[in-house]
Amino acid sequence: MDSKRQAGSLLLLLLMSNLLLCKNVASEPICPNRSGCQVSLRELFDRAIILSHYIHSLSSEIFQEFDAQYSQGPGFFTQAISMCHTASISTPAGKEQAQQIQQKDFVILVIHLLGSWTKPLSHLITEARRLPKAPDALIAKATEIQEQNQRLLEGLKKIGKLVDPEIIDNGNYAVWLGLPSLQSNDLQSLLFAYHNLFRCLRRDTHKVDNYLKFLKCQIAYDGSC
Amino acid sequence: MKENVTSTMVFILLLFLNIRLLNGESPPGKPIISKCRSPEKETFTCWWKPGTNGGLPTNYTLTYYKEGENIIYECPDYNTSGPNSCYFNKKYTNLWTIYVIRVNATNNMGSNASDPRFVDVAYIVEPNPPQNISLEVKQPEDRKPYLWIKWFPPALVDITSGWLILQYEVRLKPENAAEWEVHFAGQQTHFKILSLYPGQKYFVQARCKPDHGFWSKWSPVTSIEIPSDINMSDTTMWIFVAILSAVICLVMVWAVALKSYSMMTCIFPPVPGPKIKGFDSHLLERGKTEELLGAFGCQDFPPTSDSEDLLVEFLEVDDSEDQQLMPAFSKEYPGQPVKSRRLDLDNDSGHGSCDSPSFLSEKCEGPWANPPTFHTPEVIKKLENLEANITCTWDPQTKSTKDKILYFHANGFRSSTWPLPQPTQHNPRSPYHSIAEVCKLAEDPRAALATVLHKASKDALKSSKTTETGEEKKAVEQMEVESFTSKTGQDTAWMLPQENASFISAKPLDYVEIHKVNKDGALSLTPKQKESIDQTEKPRTLEIIKEYAKVARVMENNILVLMPDPRAQNIALFEESAKAAPLSFQQNQAEKDMACFPTTPSNFRLQQDR
């Protein structure tokens, strides 16, 4: 009887350990069956990277032009720094951190980051007319950014479907509450609000560009570009 | 006492300070953070420049705080990046976070802090230059040799992960050149240079840049010597080019030689000399001015509507008194045509030969084509009626008949002939009618003739038609009348109702010239033969000239019947006509031409415009 109990417990242990061991920690390869999947993934990433690179270039330009045109002295806008509305989305701040995130989570992360800017951009375009000194070029660039952002979002959703067919975009975007600040009557607070908005836009578009370039190597080229 | 103590104490302190100051010691100057850079987007370093140290050993510390945090940190590493630097390793580096960094300088005398610097690591990326640049001259077979440049990314950058993407640039120059030749290489780590000078030494450098960041410094110079014996040029190609160009040149030279003349005329067209139409300069040399001037005849000068105005002149003839003709006449010529609207008494009216007897020749057919309108409404009406009836067009046949129409020619005075071209009221009308009738005649002679007959001007016309044979006018007219009614379908000139049918067919209407006005006021008319400038025909005309100066009777249709003057004045006539021929047509139309005018003043009146 003791030997039987020992055997039974051993079996149980074995089973348990097997179950534990069999639980696959390593990520499954993307595009297991379809042969054209890998190629189309690379193409999708290439297109997405072109868009994200372009969007970040525009955002950088807007930021620098706004800074040059509306600054009222050296260090004027240092006081304007305040938290971005997308701070609630936790993003990796370095390469090591980025390497520890699951690829599909990463894709969802990027989608959330992009989607959080749809509303602020549209409000920015309509409210920017209140700015002094004829901000037409600025509005034009913001409009362009919004357009390209939409295209990038669609492309990312396609990539997401390829990476993980069960990916769900639950629309959990960061909420932006900065509209009243864009309509402020005080010139300084108005300028501060816009400056902060442009700073956050530049940062987030840089993040998206960086992450996509990183993800391309990780997903489409298996970690080595 | 106390005051003394305090004052002395202060005095001593001041002395102390002064002694110290005299030594040159002071608090440190303000340091400045000069640069913060990240070589691979994973770590970063900040460098500062110290201010004056105040003569004392000064301690520098770097402090920072991050965006959204209240904790102040101190620099983790002062050594790795050299003096006056602070190195932040991967653990301490957070991208997309603003670092507010300050440097404090402290010495015994005091401290001084720099201005805060706001750093976001993501935007300060500047990599190291590419390393291990290798140069090689490669000479593949059947191809041009080239310089192959290869390099490696900087040591710290991780390319494979895709966290940082680099783009490269290469530049080279021959040893003695002043300018660098720069090439953008994209993301590849090699480059091919094709344009090389053999035997030269080349210097090569490379640098790189992240996708959103700053260019690195240029790498150290690498040099290579291009061997002199390499074959840079593709000789076979040049030989082919030389042969082809030689062939093309030969072909072009040959083509030019063939067409040299036409090309010369194309490039340098011959300049035409001045030339006057109809002017023969050789005649001028020979001195034959008459022929010269004859060339200025009215070749292109048929009097058209303008000249019609000039030519038209009306002579008003009252039928009741022949003698009134004279006063009318005489009044006409004193010098200024009173009513002459279109009378041009000037010899040089410019009508040219259109007024001359030769007017009837082909060259002056213009006036025939468009008969002018006259101020006599009846005439015009009749004209219009006639026009309506006319359906045939002018053809050579009719034209020839025109020639036969007689002119009334006033001779001896500055009289003008009938303005043939435009039939003035009646007379001019006659020719017009004659033409129309002739035209009609071609189609339906009898009908045409019948219609014509009933017009008032017909009489004048008939009267104007004189026979060439010179028979008595009266007889002619009588016959005309008879012939019109009785003749059947004969192609007779309506003018010539003579028994002489041949005459009729052969001789259409002739004009009667006003030869002269007799002293007793009678017009002497002569049938005008077809005028030709040729003087040789004068004798012929002489025979035929008959002077119709006597009115025989008046017929029922208000026709004046004239008869030839028995007084033979042929010779005189001839002379005068010979003289007058060239002159007559040149002018004035005061028609004194009276032969056969209907007596009804309304119909047929030679009216002289004044």
Side-chain angles (χ1 to χ4, degrees):
Chain A
M1 279 220 325
D2 284 315
S3 60
K4 277 188 185 174
R5 277 188 190 169
Q6 280 177 356
S9 58
L10 260 174
L11 261 173
L12 268 172
L13 269 172
L14 277 169
L15 275 169
M16 292 284 286
S17 62
N18 272 341
L19 279 171
L20 281 169
L21 286 169
C22 285
K23 190 176 179 184
N24 210 345
V25 180
S27 58
E28 290 175 3
I30 295 177
C31 303
N33 297 326
R34 293 177 290 166
S35 59
C37 170
Q38 196 78 357
V39 174
S40 62
L41 209 54
R42 286 184 190 177
E43 282 177 5
L44 284 170
F45 264 112
D46 285 337
R47 285 184 217 170
I49 283 163
I50 290 169
L51 282 173
S52 67
H53 188 99
Y54 178 52
I55 289 167
H56 176 64
S57 308
L58 285 174
S59 307
S60 260
E61 283 175 26
I62 284 187
F63 179 78
Q64 279 156 13
E65 283 168 14
F66 183 87
D67 203 50
Q69 195 173 12
Y70 294 96
S71 178
Q72 294 174 7
F76 173 71
F77 283 119
T78 55
Q79 310 159 41
I81 294 170
S82 61
M83 212 165 67
C84 297
H85 71 288
T86 49
S88 58
I89 302 173
S90 62
T91 55
K95 191 176 82 176
E96 282 75 15
Q97 293 177 30
Q99 284 169 335
Q100 287 167 11
I101 300 178
Q102 290 282 322
Q103 289 164 359
K104 64 176 192 312
D105 293 334
F106 219 147
V107 173
I108 292 172
L109 177 87
V110 175
I111 290 173
H112 282 171
L113 210 52
L114 275 173
S116 302
W117 277 99
T118 310
K119 271 196 185 158
L121 276 172
S122 61
H123 284 296
L124 172 74
I125 289 163
T126 52
E127 299 294 332
R129 288 178 190 85
R130 295 164 186 269
L131 283 172
K133 298 185 198 175
D136 296 325
L138 207 133
I139 294 171
K141 282 185 181 147
T143 312
E144 179 74 4
I145 289 171
Q146 192 190 35
E147 265 181 52
Q148 303 303 327
N149 234 30
Q150 289 305 308
R151 293 173 63 195
L152 184 58
L153 206 54
E154 288 165 20
L156 272 178
K157 285 176 183 170
K158 285 183 194 166
I159 289 172
K161 285 285 178 210
L162 279 178
V163 167
D164 185 0
E166 293 164 22
I167 219 169
I168 298 169
D169 178 20
N170 53 8
N172 194 13
Y173 304 143
V175 178
W176 180 68
L177 300 168
L179 183 58
S181 61
L182 289 186
Q183 297 164 332
S184 168
N185 293 324
D186 177 33
L187 181 66
Q188 194 185 47
S189 54
L190 186 75
L191 291 177
F192 280 6
Y194 275 101
H195 185 269
N196 200 51
L197 194 66
F198 290 134
R199 183 183 68 85
C200 294
L201 181 67
R202 176 172 93 146
R203 166 184 292 178
D204 284 345
T205 51
H206 193 263
K207 278 184 188 174
V208 167
D209 187 43
N210 213 105
Y211 295 157
L212 283 177
K213 284 167 180 169
F214 176 73
L215 278 176
K216 179 183 109 172
C217 286
Q218 298 298 307
I219 296 174
Y221 291 88
D222 285 329
S224 60
C225 282
Chain B
M1 276 295 287
K2 278 184 186 176
E3 291 171 1
N4 282 340
V5 171
T6 48
S7 61
T8 47
M9 285 291 286
V10 165
F11 179 69
I12 288 164
L13 271 169
L14 279 169
L15 265 175
F16 206 56
L17 268 167
N18 279 336
I19 290 163
R20 281 225 152 155
L21 280 167
L22 282 169
N23 290 339
E25 293 169 0
S26 64
K30 189 175 181 178
I32 298 171
I33 300 174
S34 59
K35 192 175 173 183
C36 289
R37 280 291 180 264
S38 167
E40 77 288 80
K41 220 195 279 185
E42 293 172 47
T43 66
F44 75 104
T45 309
C46 278
W47 293 269
W48 67 84
K49 280 186 196 156
T52 57
N53 61 359
L56 290 169
T58 314
N59 204 6
Y60 293 95
T61 58
L62 187 141
T63 56
Y64 69 92
Y65 66 93
K66 289 195 224 173
E67 167 195 353
E69 289 177 15
N70 292 326
I71 308 165
I72 296 182
Y73 302 94
E74 197 181 334
C75 172
D77 189 334
Y78 285 102
N79 302 320
T80 310
S81 300
N84 294 329
S85 74
C86 178
Y87 172 74
F88 297 81
N89 60 17
K90 290 181 189 178
K91 205 167 88 174
Y92 292 101
T93 305
N94 290 335
L95 264 63
W96 302 295
T97 312
I98 295 180
Y99 285 69
V100 186
I101 298 169
R102 288 183 103 138
V103 173
N104 298 315
T106 320
N107 67 3
N108 291 342
M109 291 294 296
S111 67
N112 214 337
S114 67
D115 291 331
R117 189 167 172 113
F118 298 84
V119 174
D120 190 334
V121 181
Y123 306 127
I124 56 165
V125 182
E126 182 189 324
N128 291 328
Q131 57 188 8
N132 293 348
I133 300 176
S134 68
L135 302 174
E136 190 185 344
V137 177
K138 293 197 176 176
Q139 301 184 44
E141 297 172 4
D142 300 334
R143 274 207 198 157
K144 278 188 72 177
Y146 58 89
L147 177 66
W148 177 250
I149 305 173
K150 199 154 169 41
W151 60 87
F152 290 93
L156 301 171
V157 175
D158 180 10
I159 297 294
T160 58
S161 65
W163 187 251
L164 188 65
I165 293 180
L166 291 176
Q167 293 170 329
Y168 301 97
E169 220 175 49
V170 160
R171 70 176 186 184
L172 77 158
K173 69 165 182 173
E175 190 173 11
N176 300 324
E179 298 277 324
W180 287 92
E181 187 185 320
V182 180
H183 300 276
F184 184 73
Q187 291 181 26
Q188 59 193 22
T189 56
H190 51 83
F191 201 75
K192 200 191 278 188
I193 301 284
L194 292 167
S195 60
L196 294 170
Y197 296 108
Q200 288 261 1
K201 187 176 179 183
Y202 275 89
F203 296 136
V204 177
Q205 281 184 309
R207 69 174 181 176
C208 57
K209 169 184 168 316
D211 48 356
H212 300 288
F214 300 97
W215 278 107
S216 71
K217 290 187 171 45
W218 285 105
S219 67
V221 172
T222 322
S223 66
I224 188 169
E225 185 92 22
I226 311 290
S228 314
D229 59 344
I230 62 165
N231 185 17
M232 287 303 298
S233 62
D234 196 354
T235 49
T236 53
M237 187 195 72
W238 286 114
I239 289 167
F240 175 72
V241 165
I243 290 171
L244 189 67
S245 53
V247 165
I248 290 169
C249 280
L250 280 172
V251 167
M252 281 175 61
V253 165
W254 176 70
V256 166
L258 274 182
K259 305 242 174 180
S260 59
Y261 177 69
S262 58
M263 276 175 64
M264 287 303 288
T265 52
C266 184
I267 297 167
F268 304 110
V271 177
K275 190 177 174 187
I276 301 169
K277 197 171 178 181
F279 182 83
D280 189 2
S281 55
H282 295 299
L283 289 176
L284 191 63
E285 290 167 13
R286 277 185 259 139
K288 299 198 176 169
T289 50
E290 300 94 8
E291 291 166 9
L292 251 181
L293 292 174
F296 287 117
C298 92
Q299 311 217 358
D300 298 328
F301 194 71
T304 53
S305 57
D306 290 336
S307 56
E308 285 173 354
D309 292 341
L310 296 166
L311 287 172
V312 167
E313 179 166 351
F314 299 103
L315 277 178
E316 189 150 359
V317 174
D318 194 301
D319 57 6
S320 55
E321 298 147 314
D322 294 334
Q323 289 180 349
Q324 279 183 4
L325 289 174
M326 272 319 289
F329 252 155
S330 60
K331 278 179 201 169
E332 177 185 319
Y333 294 109
Q336 288 167 359
V338 179
K339 243 173 51 168
S340 168
R341 191 173 56 185
R342 295 167 275 193
L343 175 66
D344 190 352
L345 297 173
D346 189 3
N347 275 337
D348 297 330
S349 67
H351 299 303
S353 60
C354 291
D355 277 316
S356 65
S358 62
F359 170 79
L360 288 174
S361 59
E362 286 118 13
K363 57 190 173 187
C364 293
E365 287 161 4
W368 284 106
N370 32 345
T373 57
F374 311 103
H375 53 267
T376 310
E378 303 156 351
V379 174
I380 290 166
K381 243 194 252 171
K382 285 186 179 163
L383 271 175
E384 288 167 2
N385 289 339
L386 195 62
E387 281 175 17
N389 291 332
I390 292 171
T391 54
C392 68
T393 57
W394 294 117
D395 52 23
Q397 181 190 12
T398 58
K399 282 175 190 167
S400 63
T401 57
K402 273 189 291 183
D403 298 341
K404 304 288 168 68
I405 295 172
L406 284 173
Y407 257 110
F408 282 116
H409 172 58
N411 222 354
F413 295 80
R414 294 162 64 194
S415 59
S416 59
T417 55
W418 293 114
L420 212 335
Q422 33 322 72
T424 51
Q425 296 180 302
H426 20 266
N427 238 7
R429 217 164 119 217
S430 331
Y432 175 74
H433 274 285
S434 69
I435 292 169
E437 287 151 4
V438 167
C439 188
K440 260 245 150 105
L441 198 65
E443 302 168 2
D444 188 4
R446 227 199 308 175
L449 291 174
T451 53
V452 169
L453 268 179
H454 294 299
K455 306 239 165 39
S457 59
K458 265 180 310 196
D459 303 332
L461 193 62
K462 276 184 241 149
S463 63
S464 67
K465 315 159 196 179
T466 56
T467 64
E468 290 187 4
T469 56
E471 292 188 71
E472 187 169 339
K473 197 71 169 165
K474 162 173 135 186
V476 169
E477 287 151 10
Q478 280 172 333
M479 301 310 275
E480 284 175 0
V481 175
E482 290 166 21
S483 68
F484 276 123
T485 51
S486 63
K487 281 265 194 285
T488 59
Q490 270 191 16
D491 188 10
T492 63
W494 29 288
M495 346 56 188
L496 302 199
Q498 211 115 54
E499 302 96 29
N500 196 351
S502 62
F503 167 72
I504 290 170
S505 55
K507 305 273 183 184
L509 200 63
D510 275 341
Y511 280 101
V512 174
E513 277 185 290
I514 296 177
H515 186 59
K516 67 177 184 222
V517 177
N518 290 338
K519 53 183 184 290
D520 51 357
L523 287 173
S524 67
L525 304 167
T526 56
K528 184 124 181 63
Q529 192 64 336
K530 175 164 122 191
E531 187 72 346
S532 62
I533 302 177
D534 194 353
Q535 302 293 325
T536 57
E537 288 191 13
K538 280 178 200 168
R540 192 158 63 85
T541 54
L542 178 63
E543 299 164 16
I544 309 168
I545 286 178
K546 290 271 167 90
E547 189 177 327
Y548 292 88
K550 213 169 172 186
V551 177
R553 66 164 192 280
V554 178
M555 290 180 63
E556 68 263 20
N557 281 343
N558 299 328
I559 297 171
L560 283 175
V561 179
L562 303 175
M563 57 189 195
D565 196 343
R567 293 167 287 177
Q569 299 176 2
N570 285 351
I571 297 169
L573 277 174
F574 171 71
E575 289 172 5
E576 288 173 44
S577 67
K579 264 188 278 178
L583 299 175
S584 61
F585 286 95
Q586 287 185 7
Q587 23 197 303
N588 22 14
Q589 302 83 55
E591 318 37 62
K592 308 11 170 173
D593 189 14
M594 286 304 132
C596 193
F597 302 100
T599 51
T600 39
S602 62
N603 285 343
F604 194 99
R605 289 202 304 183
L606 286 179
Q607 194 174 40
Q608 184 177 20
D609 287 353
R610 297 198 180 167

